[in-house]
């Protein structure tokens, strides 16, 4: 296992390339199941989760080739070809390592008429059930069976009829599974109260490029007219709005500035609003987004919410930045039940954060101090790195594999902003 050593206190400044979005790529990759023609995805980030998903697709008999991109390039081009599917089972040993594997359920069911996927189980931030995925697929006509830790979905006489479903709560993954199952259904499907995250729009745009007929893209109601088959496509994955927001917080906590190359303000409005409320300058530029914290940080009050609300995936990173604000901020985490695991570690670095249930009060402190800290989940890990960049002395963040799941070449990108960071093997 690796760790990252950060010698904090330096003001960051520079340009950092934002990679393709992990949470878009993880729903675009399984679309390869929906066609027997080549699907080429550009701007794929080099991340452990993407490698894991590629391996899962290979298990199904899907060939994946990476176009020649130099090691120093960011963003890869991957072509997936699925003329024949040799297995429609996503096994436990792969799913347990990457819960996003559940996103093969809908497209595999659509392609093969039957799909078996190991139940993903919970993770550090919550128990994360998949009941809405299953209810949506049933509404589209699937028969669902649960046995021995697996879910098996079956389409009546090999094809889904389509149907209507209104999500009781907004779910990104369940929306994605339902859309991927509906695009080649035999009839029309109507989905209400769907997630509206930009990653869902990216999915719908790819499927449209493959020949799907989807109305209402970007709204909370979708009408999908099933088509007999989808064709191949070449598609560029959107930029990672969460990675961009994370580097914005990193620059801001150091009183620095950054150009977030390829970041798109229209996908980050709630994050941009929170940064501006905290006194951070944010300006769209031709090449991306310009961030500058040239004055004291101000406290803010934020509740996470489904898009276009403030992203739960940005909560830990913003909290780290607000540790240096002049005053007390109030954060409320409404999406996941256990997403404050970064708090004890931030407090060990001199922060003053009190949590009660879903609410955290972040009392700003004049200084953070370096410490040895432990990463627990992806975004919590990034919040510790952000705090370390502002802390005096040295911070060591252990269990870097959590970060490698969602931040491409983190130490390299931080170095581009002038941070003094080093990645070393951890005994
Ligand atoms: C996606 O997870 C993201 N992951 C998460 O990002 C993100 O935090 C989350 O959406 C919310 O934006 C990927 O896209 C791969 P949900 P997902 O279904 O789809 C409950 C990161 O850091 N729920 O929108 O699993 C669930 O428990 C990761 O990049 C049910 O009750 O999230 C949660 O409380 C972490 N039943 C809420 O809905 C279900 O069937 C939102 O979950 C499904 C979800």
């Amino acid at each position: 296992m690796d760790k990252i050593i950060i010698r904090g206190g330096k003001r960051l400044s520079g340009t950092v390339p934002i990679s393709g979005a992990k949470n878009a790529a993880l729903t675009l990759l399984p679309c390869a199941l929906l066609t027997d023609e080549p699907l080429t995805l550009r701007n794929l980030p080099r991340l452990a989760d993407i490698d894991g998903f590629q391996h899962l697709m290979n298990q199904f008999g899907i060939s994946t080739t990476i176009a020649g991109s130099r090691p120093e390039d960011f963003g890869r081009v991957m072509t997936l070809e699925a003329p024949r599917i040799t297995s429609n089972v996503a096994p436990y040993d792969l799913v347990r390592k990457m819960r996003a594997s559940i996103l093969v359920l809908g497209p595999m069911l659509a392609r093969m008429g039957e799909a078996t996927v190991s139940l993903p189980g919970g993770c550090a931030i919550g128990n994360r059930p998949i009941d809405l995925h299953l209810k949506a697929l049933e509404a589209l006509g699937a028969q669902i069976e649960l046995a021995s830790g697996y879910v098996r979905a079956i389409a009546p006489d090999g094809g889904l009829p389509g149907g209507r479903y209104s999500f009781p709560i907004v779910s990104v993954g369940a929306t994605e599974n339902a859309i991927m199952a509906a695009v080649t259904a035999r009839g029309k499907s109507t989905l209400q109260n769907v997630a509206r995250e930009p990653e869902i729009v990216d999915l719908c745009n790819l499927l449209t490029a493959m020949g799907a007929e989807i109305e209402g893209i970007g709204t909370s109601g979708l009408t999908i007219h099933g088509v007999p088959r989808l064709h191949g496509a070449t598609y560029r994955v959107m930029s990672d709005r969460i990675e961009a927001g994370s580097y914005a917080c990193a620059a801001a906590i150091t009183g620095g500035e950054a150009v977030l190359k390829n970041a798109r303000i229209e996908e980050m409005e709630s994050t941009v609003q929170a940064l501006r409320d905290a006194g951070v300058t944010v300006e769209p530029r031709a090449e991306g987004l310009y961030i500058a914290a040239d004055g004291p940080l101000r406290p803010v009050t934020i509740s996470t919410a489904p898009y276009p609300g403030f992203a739960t995936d940005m909560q830990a990173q913003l909290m780290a930045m607000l540790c240096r604000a002049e005053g007390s901020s109030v954060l409320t985490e409404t999406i996941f039940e256990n997403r404050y695991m970064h708090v004890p570690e931030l407090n060990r670095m001199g922060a003053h954060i009190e949590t009660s249930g879903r609410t955290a009060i972040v009392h700003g402190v004049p200084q953070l101090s370096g410490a040895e800290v432990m990463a627990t989940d992806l975004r919590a890990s990034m919040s510790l790195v952000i705090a370390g960049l502002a802390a005096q002395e040295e911070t060591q963040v252990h269990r870097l594999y959590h970060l490698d799941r969602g931040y491409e070449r983190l130490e390299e990108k931080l170095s581009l902003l002038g941070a003094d960071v080093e990645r070393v093997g951890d005994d």
Side-chain angles (χ1 to χ4, degrees):
M1 281 194 267
D2 289 351
K3 65 184 174 183
I4 191 169
I5 299 172
I6 304 164
R7 295 173 192 87
K10 289 185 69 176
R11 181 182 175 278
L12 298 191
S13 175
T15 295
V16 60
I18 299 303
S19 298
K22 167 179 83 81
N23 290 349
L26 290 173
T27 192
L28 300 187
L29 283 161
C31 291
L33 285 161
L34 293 169
T35 176
D36 54 9
E37 297 178 12
L39 170 64
T40 297
L41 297 176
R42 298 174 45 239
N43 195 34
L44 272 177
R46 269 185 187 76
L47 294 170
D49 271 9
I50 304 302
D51 295 343
F53 215 100
Q54 178 183 2
H55 181 53
L56 178 64
M57 303 298 273
N58 295 151
Q59 296 290 307
F60 302 143
I62 296 174
S63 74
T64 53
T65 48
I66 306 281
S69 58
R70 296 168 304 163
E72 64 273 20
D73 291 343
F74 285 106
R76 286 186 297 174
V77 178
M78 184 188 294
T79 295
L80 302 99
E81 296 188 74
R84 276 184 336 101
I85 301 297
T86 55
S87 165
N88 63 351
V89 176
Y92 170 70
D93 68 316
L94 291 183
V95 176
R96 72 182 174 82
K97 291 176 201 144
M98 191 186 57
R99 56 176 297 102
S101 310
I102 192 64
L103 295 175
V104 303
L105 184 62
M108 183 67 87
L109 171 64
R111 172 72 181 262
M112 301 299 284
E114 181 175 335
T116 300
V117 178
S118 172
L119 289 168
C123 78
I125 63 176
N127 75 355
R128 302 179 73 180
I130 59 162
D131 56 313
L132 299 177
H133 297 240
L134 306 184
K135 288 195 180 93
L137 293 177
E138 279 178 326
L140 299 180
Q143 182 190 326
I144 301 291
E145 294 169 4
L146 295 174
S148 319
Y150 280 76
V151 56
R152 184 165 165 245
I154 301 154
D157 54 74
L160 286 174
R164 305 173 62 84
Y165 187 65
S166 180
F167 288 90
I169 61 167
V170 171
S171 161
V172 170
T175 298
E176 291 164 344
N177 253 327
I179 292 170
M180 291 188 281
V183 287
T184 57
R186 293 187 174 144
K188 181 173 91 167
S189 298
T190 306
L191 302 174
Q192 294 296 339
N193 197 28
V194 299
R196 296 169 51 200
E197 273 67 6
E199 292 76 21
I200 306 273
V201 172
D202 224 27
L203 169 64
C204 291
N205 289 342
L206 167 62
L207 291 170
T208 302
M210 294 171 72
E213 291 178 16
I214 306 171
E215 293 163 14
I217 295 174
T219 73
S220 56
L222 296 176
T223 299
I224 299 172
H225 302 277
V227 294
R229 61 187 303 281
L230 296 185
H231 51 73
T234 294
Y235 189 82
R236 177 185 169 81
V237 179
M238 65 177 274
S239 288
D240 195 318
R241 61 189 173 100
I242 305 300
E243 184 194 28
S246 303
Y247 284 109
C249 293
I253 197 173
T254 67
E257 59 179 356
V259 173
L260 308 173
K261 198 161 172 297
N262 306 324
R264 287 162 49 86
I265 194 166
E266 52 272 21
E267 291 162 355
M268 305 173 58
E269 280 165 2
S270 61
T271 296
V272 168
Q273 192 54 57
L275 290 166
R276 284 174 173 162
D277 290 349
V280 178
T281 299
V282 184
E283 284 166 6
R285 293 275 173 86
E287 67 273 29
L289 219 45
Y290 173 70
I291 302 287
D294 30 27
L297 294 175
R298 296 194 295 262
V300 299
T301 294
I302 289 274
S303 275
T304 63
Y307 192 89
F310 186 79
T312 173
D313 289 352
M314 274 301 305
Q315 177 257 110
Q317 301 92 297
L318 186 79
M319 181 187 284
M321 185 192 86
L322 293 170
C323 291
R324 294 292 315 279
E326 292 185 353
S328 297
S329 302
V330 181
L331 302 185
T332 305
E333 173 55 62
T334 68
I335 307 290
F336 290 110
E337 63 268 28
N338 187 31
R339 208 167 194 179
Y340 284 142
M341 280 176 299
H342 40 291
V343 169
E345 293 295 81
L346 288 172
N347 284 338
R348 289 184 58 243
M349 296 177 72
H352 179 194
I353 307 167
E354 299 166 301
T355 58
S356 168
R358 297 275 183 128
T359 299
I361 300 177
V362 185
H363 304 286
V365 292
Q367 192 51 55
L368 292 170
S369 54
E372 285 210 51
V373 290
M374 195 70 72
T376 52
D377 64 270
L378 172 57
R379 306 304 175 183
S381 320
M382 190 58 181
S383 80
L384 303 179
V385 170
I386 290 167
L389 290 166
Q392 297 305 324
E393 311 97 31
E394 183 178 281
T395 294
Q396 297 196 13
V397 182
H398 297 266
R399 296 188 181 169
L400 224 44
Y401 59 88
H402 287 292
L403 274 161
D404 292 339
R405 292 187 48 226
Y407 290 94
E408 182 177 12
R409 293 151 69 177
L410 171 73
E411 63 281 0
E412 202 174 319
K413 292 195 180 185
L414 287 173
S415 303
L416 288 174
L417 292 174
D420 181 351
V421 296
E422 186 188 358
R423 181 189 194 113
V424 296
D426 209 352
D427 36 23

